[in-house]
Amino acid sequence: MVVAKQIDVISLFPDMFDAISRHGVSGRAFERGLAHLQLWNPREFSTNPYRSVDDRPYGGGPGMVMQAEPLAAAIEAAQARQHDAGVGDPRVIFLAPHGRRLDHDAVMRLASLDGLVLLCGRYEGVDQRLIDESVHECVSIGDYVLSGGELAAMVVIDALLRQLPGALGDAQSADQDSFVDGLLDYPHYTRPEVWRGRQVPSVLLGGDHERIRRWRLQQSLADTAALRPDLLRNRDLSKEESVLLAQSLQAEQPE
Ligand code: ADE
């Protein structure tokens, strides 16, 4: 039996998650039961009459800080639900700009876990004691600041769902994606053969699968060298890849 990946999200804006639960590849993954998404609004765990979950920062300064207790109660409810669903050790992840930067390896690691509890911050931040007490790791989706963790959590969920077996349907596979083998994806083309005077590269029309494979690999290598040279520095090239990359660099040289 395939056990659904359990994903719980703590957010003041649970409706935002309709974007991934009702559309596209991620929506289908939930529909097919490959994963289960449960949203928790920390307001529901607030014990004060206004259902507020934030307060002014100790030490002064702008903005408000999310209080520890409603978040802890929401996280504990999510963990209890996951235990009931058979997850031994749900991992609590706080989405924040100071977290470890998300990349393909991190997505694969998260995709291998049975259960995740994603904590989305708002306002100026979250009381540090909650992070020290309840969070296993912090994840950032890039060096910029979003208005809250929701979009980052959706990025994490979307990226890991497409790695689940069966999420992409039979014809597609996530192992063709950019980054899987440490290179950017090759360019794609579809009908018509000529569009606004631009031709589809002739190698793709010939049906010679070995030539097509070599051409795509060469495009991946050339694009990676031009756009993301850092990826090539961390990766050993095979003999074939070195030759293809050298050829493409030579072809770019002016006469
Ligand atoms: N929350 C605000 N900015 C963020 C970022 N860059 N990554 C993850 N969570 C965030």
Side-chain angles (χ1 to χ4, degrees), residues 94-99 121 139-150 152-153:
F94 178 41
L95 286 310
H98 64 265
V139 168
S140 162
I141 62 162
D143 291 344
Y144 41 81
V145 178
L146 303 166
S147 311
E150 283 78 7

Side-chain angles (χ1 to χ4, degrees), residues 46 54 66 76 83 100 110 210 244:
S46 168
D54 59 330
M66 290 182 85
E76 281 151 20
H83 287 143
R100 176 134 26 113
L110 297 179
E210 176 53 20
L244 288 171

Side-chain angles (χ1 to χ4, degrees), residues 229-249:
D230 56 303
L231 293 178
L232 289 187
R233 279 195 289 278
N234 298 326
R235 184 182 182 286
D236 291 328
L237 293 187
S238 68
K239 182 92 211 306
E240 179 189 40
E241 289 169 344
S242 304
V243 170
L244 288 171
L245 180 58
Q247 274 174 359
S248 81
L249 293 176

Side-chain angles (χ1 to χ4, degrees), residues 126-184:
V126 166
D127 191 315
Q128 182 63 35
R129 292 167 296 179
L130 179 277
I131 298 168
D132 298 340
E133 171 87 4
S134 308
V135 169
H136 295 117
E137 62 179 293
C138 298
V139 168
S140 162
I141 62 162
D143 291 344
Y144 41 81
V145 178
L146 303 166
S147 311
E150 283 78 7
L151 290 171
M154 285 190 261
V155 166
V156 169
I157 295 169
D158 184 277
L160 73 82
L161 288 181
R162 53 187 288 114
Q163 299 302 331
L164 301 185
L168 292 183
D170 295 338
Q172 284 172 293
S173 158
D175 20 282
Q176 307 260 326
D177 286 350
S178 276
F179 304 112
V180 169
D181 60 357
L183 299 176
L184 300 183

Side-chain angles (χ1 to χ4, degrees), residues 83-106:
H83 287 143
D84 289 347
V87 178
D89 190 17
R91 193 149 183 89
V92 181
I93 295 176
F94 178 41
L95 286 310
H98 64 265
R100 176 134 26 113
R101 184 108 60 86
L102 190 72
D103 61 11
H104 177 69
D105 289 346

